[in-house]
Amino acid sequence: MVNPAPHWVAILVYDGVTLLDVAGPAEVFKEANRFGADYRIVLLSPTGVDVTSNLGVRMAVDGAVSSEPAFDTFLVAGSDLYPRACVPGDLADAARIPAVAAGRVVSICTGAFILAAAGLLDGKRATTHWKVAHKLAARCPTCRVEPDAIYVRDGTTYTSAGVTAGIDLALALVEEDHGPDLARDVARALVVYMQRAGGQSQFSAPLQGPPPRSPALRKVTDVVTADPSGDHSLGELAKHLNVSTRHLTRIFRDELSTTPARYVENIRFDMARALLDQGHTATQAAILAGFPSYESMRRVFARNLSISPAAYQRRFSTARRPNAG
């Protein structure tokens, strides 16, 4: 097979960069070369000085950022630093300069915060790690953040979710460049999914948000949380506050932007996930969490996670293998 023209990939690194955000995509591109691609990877830092990763590993760079030459793919790796602090101006500039001429711009995990600081996500759809998606939305109000996406493409701008999602995105880029057959070969060689089912929600913490502001509504939500399997019909919940069902519905909508029924469902969903994590069967989890039936729980899992309770449990119940013999 004749190799195509070289495809230059520049990865922006800096002190504190997450090593896996760099190594994961780079490994995908390197593996693609074994199957006929020709990716050339260079590491760039803002000043051309070597950097130290989040693990303390020293990373030798190939040079400083520049608008020349124009790279086919410009990738910005993430760091735990910048959801917690503002992105320094020199780092934002280091992302902006090569991005102007690049064929496509990519961020891995919290690298989206650097793209946002550089103005590269203005008016675009994007994603990042589910834990800090709300912070990205606050930092870049014109960006439409999609917290459940594994990765998002908006034109020539690509953003991915947390750490290993950078591998998912890199595989998608390889498929875009060379087709599904080569990308599938890479996925098989790396023993990863070509395209994993579901979104980030399957990896995230329980869906419960902050407690309600009003003591009255907090009283109702505490009752539900304390016993998710209890009778929490609209009428029964309204009795706890001695208010009409219409008034209770309005309180939920105003404070939590949801309905009482959906709130109860989410609490039960959280409990069912925890029960599955602990090793209960799906049927047991449905009963203990208060779902009317397994089928009703399955529908909630499908809507929230795009996978079944059984598939969720296979992925997250335990990392230990049973002993042989």
Side-chain angles (χ1 to χ4, degrees), residues 146-181:
E146 300 183 7
D148 193 41
I150 298 296
Y151 59 83
V152 169
R153 174 186 179 180
D154 190 325
T156 58
T157 301
Y158 302 71
T159 52
S160 77
V163 284
T164 57
I167 294 175
D168 295 78
L169 177 51
L171 280 168
L173 296 177
V174 169
E175 181 176 4
E176 182 177 295
D177 295 336
H178 298 288
D181 291 341

PDB file of all heavy atoms in Angstrom, residues 146-181:
ATOM      1  N   GLU A 146     -21.856  20.502  25.541  1.00  0.00           N
ATOM      2  CA  GLU A 146     -22.634  19.269  25.548  1.00  0.00           C
ATOM      3  C   GLU A 146     -21.968  18.291  26.523  1.00  0.00           C
ATOM      4  O   GLU A 146     -21.065  17.537  26.154  1.00  0.00           O
ATOM      5  CB  GLU A 146     -22.714  18.683  24.141  1.00  0.00           C
ATOM      6  CG  GLU A 146     -23.380  19.639  23.157  1.00  0.00           C
ATOM      7  CD  GLU A 146     -23.543  19.059  21.762  1.00  0.00           C
ATOM      8  OE1 GLU A 146     -23.253  17.857  21.575  1.00  0.00           O
ATOM      9  OE2 GLU A 146     -23.954  19.822  20.862  1.00  0.00           O
ATOM     10  N   PRO A 147     -22.413  18.287  27.789  1.00  0.00           N
ATOM     11  CA  PRO A 147     -21.691  17.548  28.831  1.00  0.00           C
ATOM     12  C   PRO A 147     -21.748  16.039  28.706  1.00  0.00           C
ATOM     13  O   PRO A 147     -20.950  15.343  29.324  1.00  0.00           O
ATOM     14  CB  PRO A 147     -22.381  18.021  30.122  1.00  0.00           C
ATOM     15  CG  PRO A 147     -23.738  18.456  29.700  1.00  0.00           C
ATOM     16  CD  PRO A 147     -23.558  19.035  28.324  1.00  0.00           C
ATOM     17  N   ASP A 148     -22.669  15.493  27.909  1.00  0.00           N
ATOM     18  CA  ASP A 148     -22.765  14.038  27.816  1.00  0.00           C
ATOM     19  C   ASP A 148     -22.010  13.472  26.616  1.00  0.00           C
ATOM     20  O   ASP A 148     -21.867  12.254  26.482  1.00  0.00           O
ATOM     21  CB  ASP A 148     -24.237  13.613  27.734  1.00  0.00           C
ATOM     22  CG  ASP A 148     -24.408  12.114  27.958  1.00  0.00           C
ATOM     23  OD1 ASP A 148     -23.731  11.573  28.857  1.00  0.00           O
ATOM     24  OD2 ASP A 148     -25.189  11.481  27.235  1.00  0.00           O
ATOM     25  N   ALA A 149     -21.514  14.329  25.739  1.00  0.00           N
ATOM     26  CA  ALA A 149     -20.869  13.842  24.514  1.00  0.00           C
ATOM     27  C   ALA A 149     -19.482  13.277  24.808  1.00  0.00           C
ATOM     28  O   ALA A 149     -18.750  13.805  25.648  1.00  0.00           O
ATOM     29  CB  ALA A 149     -20.761  14.966  23.490  1.00  0.00           C
ATOM     30  N   ILE A 150     -19.117  12.203  24.101  1.00  0.00           N
ATOM     31  CA  ILE A 150     -17.753  11.677  24.182  1.00  0.00           C
ATOM     32  C   ILE A 150     -16.812  12.597  23.396  1.00  0.00           C
ATOM     33  O   ILE A 150     -15.706  12.882  23.823  1.00  0.00           O
ATOM     34  CB  ILE A 150     -17.684  10.244  23.622  1.00  0.00           C
ATOM     35  CG1 ILE A 150     -18.572   9.308  24.465  1.00  0.00           C
ATOM     36  CG2 ILE A 150     -16.245   9.738  23.602  1.00  0.00           C
ATOM     37  CD1 ILE A 150     -18.129   9.145  25.894  1.00  0.00           C
ATOM     38  N   TYR A 151     -17.258  13.047  22.238  1.00  0.00           N
ATOM     39  CA  TYR A 151     -16.542  14.096  21.526  1.00  0.00           C
ATOM     40  C   TYR A 151     -17.531  14.845  20.650  1.00  0.00           C
ATOM     41  O   TYR A 151     -18.624  14.361  20.357  1.00  0.00           O
ATOM     42  CB  TYR A 151     -15.365  13.553  20.694  1.00  0.00           C
ATOM     43  CG  TYR A 151     -15.730  12.548  19.639  1.00  0.00           C
ATOM     44  CD1 TYR A 151     -16.201  12.950  18.388  1.00  0.00           C
ATOM     45  CD2 TYR A 151     -15.586  11.194  19.871  1.00  0.00           C
ATOM     46  CE1 TYR A 151     -16.530  12.027  17.414  1.00  0.00           C
ATOM     47  CE2 TYR A 151     -15.914  10.251  18.903  1.00  0.00           C
ATOM     48  CZ  TYR A 151     -16.382  10.680  17.680  1.00  0.00           C
ATOM     49  OH  TYR A 151     -16.712   9.765  16.718  1.00  0.00           O
ATOM     50  N   VAL A 152     -17.158  16.058  20.270  1.00  0.00           N
ATOM     51  CA  VAL A 152     -18.027  16.930  19.471  1.00  0.00           C
ATOM     52  C   VAL A 152     -17.214  17.504  18.325  1.00  0.00           C
ATOM     53  O   VAL A 152     -16.074  17.954  18.522  1.00  0.00           O
ATOM     54  CB  VAL A 152     -18.611  18.076  20.330  1.00  0.00           C
ATOM     55  CG1 VAL A 152     -19.296  19.121  19.451  1.00  0.00           C
ATOM     56  CG2 VAL A 152     -19.592  17.533  21.364  1.00  0.00           C
ATOM     57  N   ARG A 153     -17.816  17.520  17.143  1.00  0.00           N
ATOM     58  CA  ARG A 153     -17.208  18.205  16.008  1.00  0.00           C
ATOM     59  C   ARG A 153     -18.086  19.388  15.628  1.00  0.00           C
ATOM     60  O   ARG A 153     -19.296  19.239  15.473  1.00  0.00           O
ATOM     61  CB  ARG A 153     -17.079  17.266  14.801  1.00  0.00           C
ATOM     62  CG  ARG A 153     -16.578  17.997  13.558  1.00  0.00           C
ATOM     63  CD  ARG A 153     -16.578  17.124  12.324  1.00  0.00           C
ATOM     64  NE  ARG A 153     -16.122  17.880  11.155  1.00  0.00           N
ATOM     65  CZ  ARG A 153     -16.023  17.381   9.929  1.00  0.00           C
ATOM     66  NH1 ARG A 153     -16.362  16.120   9.697  1.00  0.00           N
ATOM     67  NH2 ARG A 153     -15.610  18.128   8.932  1.00  0.00           N
ATOM     68  N   ASP A 154     -17.492  20.551  15.504  1.00  0.00           N
ATOM     69  CA  ASP A 154     -18.191  21.723  14.997  1.00  0.00           C
ATOM     70  C   ASP A 154     -17.304  22.340  13.929  1.00  0.00           C
ATOM     71  O   ASP A 154     -16.326  23.029  14.230  1.00  0.00           O
ATOM     72  CB  ASP A 154     -18.472  22.725  16.120  1.00  0.00           C
ATOM     73  CG  ASP A 154     -19.404  23.847  15.682  1.00  0.00           C
ATOM     74  OD1 ASP A 154     -19.325  24.260  14.508  1.00  0.00           O
ATOM     75  OD2 ASP A 154     -20.217  24.316  16.499  1.00  0.00           O
ATOM     76  N   GLY A 155     -17.624  22.055  12.674  1.00  0.00           N
ATOM     77  CA  GLY A 155     -16.767  22.520  11.586  1.00  0.00           C
ATOM     78  C   GLY A 155     -15.418  21.833  11.647  1.00  0.00           C
ATOM     79  O   GLY A 155     -15.327  20.604  11.645  1.00  0.00           O
ATOM     80  N   THR A 156     -14.351  22.624  11.750  1.00  0.00           N
ATOM     81  CA  THR A 156     -13.010  22.055  11.841  1.00  0.00           C
ATOM     82  C   THR A 156     -12.483  22.061  13.277  1.00  0.00           C
ATOM     83  O   THR A 156     -11.288  21.894  13.511  1.00  0.00           O
ATOM     84  CB  THR A 156     -12.030  22.833  10.945  1.00  0.00           C
ATOM     85  OG1 THR A 156     -12.028  24.217  11.336  1.00  0.00           O
ATOM     86  CG2 THR A 156     -12.424  22.719   9.482  1.00  0.00           C
ATOM     87  N   THR A 157     -13.394  22.271  14.237  1.00  0.00           N
ATOM     88  CA  THR A 157     -13.016  22.265  15.659  1.00  0.00           C
ATOM     89  C   THR A 157     -13.581  21.013  16.315  1.00  0.00           C
ATOM     90  O   THR A 157     -14.764  20.715  16.198  1.00  0.00           O
ATOM     91  CB  THR A 157     -13.547  23.516  16.372  1.00  0.00           C
ATOM     92  OG1 THR A 157     -13.023  24.682  15.741  1.00  0.00           O
ATOM     93  CG2 THR A 157     -13.139  23.515  17.839  1.00  0.00           C
ATOM     94  N   TYR A 158     -12.718  20.275  17.015  1.00  0.00           N
ATOM     95  CA  TYR A 158     -13.094  19.026  17.652  1.00  0.00           C
ATOM     96  C   TYR A 158     -12.730  19.107  19.136  1.00  0.00           C
ATOM     97  O   TYR A 158     -11.621  19.522  19.482  1.00  0.00           O
ATOM     98  CB  TYR A 158     -12.347  17.843  17.044  1.00  0.00           C
ATOM     99  CG  TYR A 158     -12.531  17.643  15.562  1.00  0.00           C
ATOM    100  CD1 TYR A 158     -11.966  18.531  14.642  1.00  0.00           C
ATOM    101  CD2 TYR A 158     -13.222  16.543  15.067  1.00  0.00           C
ATOM    102  CE1 TYR A 158     -12.103  18.343  13.273  1.00  0.00           C
ATOM    103  CE2 TYR A 158     -13.362  16.330  13.702  1.00  0.00           C
ATOM    104  CZ  TYR A 158     -12.803  17.239  12.807  1.00  0.00           C
ATOM    105  OH  TYR A 158     -12.938  17.042  11.452  1.00  0.00           O
ATOM    106  N   THR A 159     -13.642  18.695  19.996  1.00  0.00           N
ATOM    107  CA  THR A 159     -13.364  18.660  21.426  1.00  0.00           C
ATOM    108  C   THR A 159     -13.776  17.296  21.960  1.00  0.00           C
ATOM    109  O   THR A 159     -14.723  16.691  21.466  1.00  0.00           O
ATOM    110  CB  THR A 159     -14.124  19.762  22.189  1.00  0.00           C
ATOM    111  OG1 THR A 159     -15.527  19.698  21.849  1.00  0.00           O
ATOM    112  CG2 THR A 159     -13.599  21.146  21.833  1.00  0.00           C
ATOM    113  N   SER A 160     -13.056  16.821  22.975  1.00  0.00           N
ATOM    114  CA  SER A 160     -13.377  15.512  23.530  1.00  0.00           C
ATOM    115  C   SER A 160     -13.584  15.587  25.030  1.00  0.00           C
ATOM    116  O   SER A 160     -13.191  16.547  25.687  1.00  0.00           O
ATOM    117  CB  SER A 160     -12.258  14.508  23.226  1.00  0.00           C
ATOM    118  OG  SER A 160     -11.150  14.705  24.076  1.00  0.00           O
ATOM    119  N   ALA A 161     -14.187  14.542  25.561  1.00  0.00           N
ATOM    120  CA  ALA A 161     -14.444  14.433  26.991  1.00  0.00           C
ATOM    121  C   ALA A 161     -13.159  14.027  27.718  1.00  0.00           C
ATOM    122  O   ALA A 161     -12.060  14.155  27.188  1.00  0.00           O
ATOM    123  CB  ALA A 161     -15.561  13.425  27.223  1.00  0.00           C
ATOM    124  N   GLY A 162     -13.311  13.514  28.927  1.00  0.00           N
ATOM    125  CA  GLY A 162     -12.164  13.242  29.773  1.00  0.00           C
ATOM    126  C   GLY A 162     -11.186  12.214  29.245  1.00  0.00           C
ATOM    127  O   GLY A 162     -11.574  11.190  28.689  1.00  0.00           O
ATOM    128  N   VAL A 163      -9.928  12.497  29.442  1.00  0.00           N
ATOM    129  CA  VAL A 163      -8.733  11.697  29.176  1.00  0.00           C
ATOM    130  C   VAL A 163      -8.873  10.617  28.107  1.00  0.00           C
ATOM    131  O   VAL A 163      -8.509  10.831  26.961  1.00  0.00           O
ATOM    132  CB  VAL A 163      -8.161  11.115  30.500  1.00  0.00           C
ATOM    133  CG1 VAL A 163      -7.445  12.198  31.268  1.00  0.00           C
ATOM    134  CG2 VAL A 163      -9.260  10.506  31.374  1.00  0.00           C
ATOM    135  N   THR A 164      -9.385   9.422  28.455  1.00  0.00           N
ATOM    136  CA  THR A 164      -9.403   8.338  27.463  1.00  0.00           C
ATOM    137  C   THR A 164     -10.320   8.641  26.290  1.00  0.00           C
ATOM    138  O   THR A 164     -10.199   7.995  25.241  1.00  0.00           O
ATOM    139  CB  THR A 164      -9.829   7.006  28.097  1.00  0.00           C
ATOM    140  OG1 THR A 164     -11.121   7.148  28.704  1.00  0.00           O
ATOM    141  CG2 THR A 164      -8.816   6.564  29.149  1.00  0.00           C
ATOM    142  N   ALA A 165     -11.233   9.601  26.419  1.00  0.00           N
ATOM    143  CA  ALA A 165     -12.055  10.003  25.273  1.00  0.00           C
ATOM    144  C   ALA A 165     -11.184  10.601  24.174  1.00  0.00           C
ATOM    145  O   ALA A 165     -11.610  10.675  23.021  1.00  0.00           O
ATOM    146  CB  ALA A 165     -13.125  11.006  25.699  1.00  0.00           C
ATOM    147  N   GLY A 166      -9.966  11.022  24.522  1.00  0.00           N
ATOM    148  CA  GLY A 166      -9.037  11.486  23.501  1.00  0.00           C
ATOM    149  C   GLY A 166      -8.682  10.375  22.529  1.00  0.00           C
ATOM    150  O   GLY A 166      -8.422  10.629  21.344  1.00  0.00           O
ATOM    151  N   ILE A 167      -8.698   9.131  23.000  1.00  0.00           N
ATOM    152  CA  ILE A 167      -8.453   7.992  22.120  1.00  0.00           C
ATOM    153  C   ILE A 167      -9.634   7.814  21.180  1.00  0.00           C
ATOM    154  O   ILE A 167      -9.469   7.572  19.985  1.00  0.00           O
ATOM    155  CB  ILE A 167      -8.194   6.716  22.952  1.00  0.00           C
ATOM    156  CG1 ILE A 167      -6.892   6.873  23.739  1.00  0.00           C
ATOM    157  CG2 ILE A 167      -8.169   5.476  22.064  1.00  0.00           C
ATOM    158  CD1 ILE A 167      -6.597   5.723  24.690  1.00  0.00           C
ATOM    159  N   ASP A 168     -10.855   7.948  21.706  1.00  0.00           N
ATOM    160  CA  ASP A 168     -12.056   7.875  20.862  1.00  0.00           C
ATOM    161  C   ASP A 168     -11.988   8.914  19.748  1.00  0.00           C
ATOM    162  O   ASP A 168     -12.274   8.612  18.578  1.00  0.00           O
ATOM    163  CB  ASP A 168     -13.315   8.127  21.703  1.00  0.00           C
ATOM    164  CG  ASP A 168     -13.574   7.059  22.736  1.00  0.00           C
ATOM    165  OD1 ASP A 168     -12.909   7.080  23.782  1.00  0.00           O
ATOM    166  OD2 ASP A 168     -14.440   6.204  22.511  1.00  0.00           O
ATOM    167  N   LEU A 169     -11.644  10.141  20.130  1.00  0.00           N
ATOM    168  CA  LEU A 169     -11.605  11.210  19.141  1.00  0.00           C
ATOM    169  C   LEU A 169     -10.494  10.969  18.119  1.00  0.00           C
ATOM    170  O   LEU A 169     -10.692  11.172  16.911  1.00  0.00           O
ATOM    171  CB  LEU A 169     -11.411  12.561  19.829  1.00  0.00           C
ATOM    172  CG  LEU A 169     -11.282  13.781  18.907  1.00  0.00           C
ATOM    173  CD1 LEU A 169     -12.409  13.845  17.886  1.00  0.00           C
ATOM    174  CD2 LEU A 169     -11.243  15.066  19.733  1.00  0.00           C
ATOM    175  N   ALA A 170      -9.335  10.531  18.583  1.00  0.00           N
ATOM    176  CA  ALA A 170      -8.237  10.269  17.645  1.00  0.00           C
ATOM    177  C   ALA A 170      -8.627   9.181  16.646  1.00  0.00           C
ATOM    178  O   ALA A 170      -8.308   9.276  15.452  1.00  0.00           O
ATOM    179  CB  ALA A 170      -6.973   9.871  18.412  1.00  0.00           C
ATOM    180  N   LEU A 171      -9.342   8.151  17.108  1.00  0.00           N
ATOM    181  CA  LEU A 171      -9.818   7.118  16.193  1.00  0.00           C
ATOM    182  C   LEU A 171     -10.784   7.703  15.168  1.00  0.00           C
ATOM    183  O   LEU A 171     -10.759   7.333  13.988  1.00  0.00           O
ATOM    184  CB  LEU A 171     -10.509   5.993  16.974  1.00  0.00           C
ATOM    185  CG  LEU A 171      -9.593   4.970  17.636  1.00  0.00           C
ATOM    186  CD1 LEU A 171     -10.379   4.096  18.602  1.00  0.00           C
ATOM    187  CD2 LEU A 171      -8.898   4.113  16.586  1.00  0.00           C
ATOM    188  N   ALA A 172     -11.647   8.620  15.615  1.00  0.00           N
ATOM    189  CA  ALA A 172     -12.578   9.260  14.685  1.00  0.00           C
ATOM    190  C   ALA A 172     -11.833  10.088  13.645  1.00  0.00           C
ATOM    191  O   ALA A 172     -12.228  10.127  12.471  1.00  0.00           O
ATOM    192  CB  ALA A 172     -13.561  10.141  15.460  1.00  0.00           C
ATOM    193  N   LEU A 173     -10.747  10.728  14.055  1.00  0.00           N
ATOM    194  CA  LEU A 173      -9.953  11.508  13.112  1.00  0.00           C
ATOM    195  C   LEU A 173      -9.259  10.595  12.098  1.00  0.00           C
ATOM    196  O   LEU A 173      -9.188  10.914  10.906  1.00  0.00           O
ATOM    197  CB  LEU A 173      -8.917  12.348  13.863  1.00  0.00           C
ATOM    198  CG  LEU A 173      -9.481  13.428  14.801  1.00  0.00           C
ATOM    199  CD1 LEU A 173      -8.343  14.125  15.542  1.00  0.00           C
ATOM    200  CD2 LEU A 173     -10.338  14.428  14.060  1.00  0.00           C
ATOM    201  N   VAL A 174      -8.762   9.462  12.577  1.00  0.00           N
ATOM    202  CA  VAL A 174      -8.138   8.497  11.663  1.00  0.00           C
ATOM    203  C   VAL A 174      -9.177   7.980  10.669  1.00  0.00           C
ATOM    204  O   VAL A 174      -8.897   7.853   9.470  1.00  0.00           O
ATOM    205  CB  VAL A 174      -7.508   7.335  12.463  1.00  0.00           C
ATOM    206  CG1 VAL A 174      -7.095   6.199  11.523  1.00  0.00           C
ATOM    207  CG2 VAL A 174      -6.302   7.828  13.260  1.00  0.00           C
ATOM    208  N   GLU A 175     -10.383   7.703  11.164  1.00  0.00           N
ATOM    209  CA  GLU A 175     -11.434   7.243  10.263  1.00  0.00           C
ATOM    210  C   GLU A 175     -11.776   8.318   9.239  1.00  0.00           C
ATOM    211  O   GLU A 175     -11.995   8.020   8.059  1.00  0.00           O
ATOM    212  CB  GLU A 175     -12.682   6.864  11.054  1.00  0.00           C
ATOM    213  CG  GLU A 175     -13.815   6.357  10.165  1.00  0.00           C
ATOM    214  CD  GLU A 175     -15.024   5.897  10.951  1.00  0.00           C
ATOM    215  OE1 GLU A 175     -15.033   6.039  12.195  1.00  0.00           O
ATOM    216  OE2 GLU A 175     -15.973   5.404  10.318  1.00  0.00           O
ATOM    217  N   GLU A 176     -11.809   9.558   9.671  1.00  0.00           N
ATOM    218  CA  GLU A 176     -12.096  10.662   8.759  1.00  0.00           C
ATOM    219  C   GLU A 176     -11.013  10.760   7.672  1.00  0.00           C
ATOM    220  O   GLU A 176     -11.315  11.033   6.506  1.00  0.00           O
ATOM    221  CB  GLU A 176     -12.155  11.967   9.552  1.00  0.00           C
ATOM    222  CG  GLU A 176     -12.501  13.194   8.742  1.00  0.00           C
ATOM    223  CD  GLU A 176     -12.615  14.429   9.633  1.00  0.00           C
ATOM    224  OE1 GLU A 176     -13.526  14.477  10.483  1.00  0.00           O
ATOM    225  OE2 GLU A 176     -11.776  15.340   9.488  1.00  0.00           O
ATOM    226  N   ASP A 177      -9.764  10.504   8.063  1.00  0.00           N
ATOM    227  CA  ASP A 177      -8.655  10.626   7.118  1.00  0.00           C
ATOM    228  C   ASP A 177      -8.508   9.408   6.212  1.00  0.00           C
ATOM    229  O   ASP A 177      -8.162   9.541   5.032  1.00  0.00           O
ATOM    230  CB  ASP A 177      -7.340  10.829   7.880  1.00  0.00           C
ATOM    231  CG  ASP A 177      -7.296  12.137   8.654  1.00  0.00           C
ATOM    232  OD1 ASP A 177      -8.039  13.074   8.273  1.00  0.00           O
ATOM    233  OD2 ASP A 177      -6.527  12.225   9.628  1.00  0.00           O
ATOM    234  N   HIS A 178      -8.763   8.219   6.768  1.00  0.00           N
ATOM    235  CA  HIS A 178      -8.393   6.995   6.047  1.00  0.00           C
ATOM    236  C   HIS A 178      -9.519   5.958   5.943  1.00  0.00           C
ATOM    237  O   HIS A 178      -9.281   4.878   5.397  1.00  0.00           O
ATOM    238  CB  HIS A 178      -7.180   6.350   6.718  1.00  0.00           C
ATOM    239  CG  HIS A 178      -5.969   7.219   6.710  1.00  0.00           C
ATOM    240  ND1 HIS A 178      -5.237   7.471   5.567  1.00  0.00           N
ATOM    241  CD2 HIS A 178      -5.381   7.939   7.711  1.00  0.00           C
ATOM    242  CE1 HIS A 178      -4.238   8.290   5.866  1.00  0.00           C
ATOM    243  NE2 HIS A 178      -4.298   8.590   7.150  1.00  0.00           N
ATOM    244  N   GLY A 179     -10.684   6.275   6.472  1.00  0.00           N
ATOM    245  CA  GLY A 179     -11.798   5.344   6.339  1.00  0.00           C
ATOM    246  C   GLY A 179     -11.936   4.398   7.519  1.00  0.00           C
ATOM    247  O   GLY A 179     -11.011   4.241   8.328  1.00  0.00           O
ATOM    248  N   PRO A 180     -13.085   3.734   7.616  1.00  0.00           N
ATOM    249  CA  PRO A 180     -13.380   2.896   8.778  1.00  0.00           C
ATOM    250  C   PRO A 180     -12.531   1.632   8.879  1.00  0.00           C
ATOM    251  O   PRO A 180     -12.275   1.161   9.994  1.00  0.00           O
ATOM    252  CB  PRO A 180     -14.866   2.548   8.591  1.00  0.00           C
ATOM    253  CG  PRO A 180     -15.119   2.720   7.125  1.00  0.00           C
ATOM    254  CD  PRO A 180     -14.224   3.833   6.688  1.00  0.00           C
ATOM    255  N   ASP A 181     -12.097   1.080   7.770  1.00  0.00           N
ATOM    256  CA  ASP A 181     -11.336  -0.168   7.842  1.00  0.00           C
ATOM    257  C   ASP A 181     -10.010   0.033   8.560  1.00  0.00           C
ATOM    258  O   ASP A 181      -9.631  -0.755   9.444  1.00  0.00           O
ATOM    259  CB  ASP A 181     -11.098  -0.727   6.436  1.00  0.00           C
ATOM    260  CG  ASP A 181     -12.377  -1.240   5.783  1.00  0.00           C
ATOM    261  OD1 ASP A 181     -13.352  -1.494   6.527  1.00  0.00           O
ATOM    262  OD2 ASP A 181     -12.406  -1.360   4.552  1.00  0.00           O
TER     263      ASP A 181
END
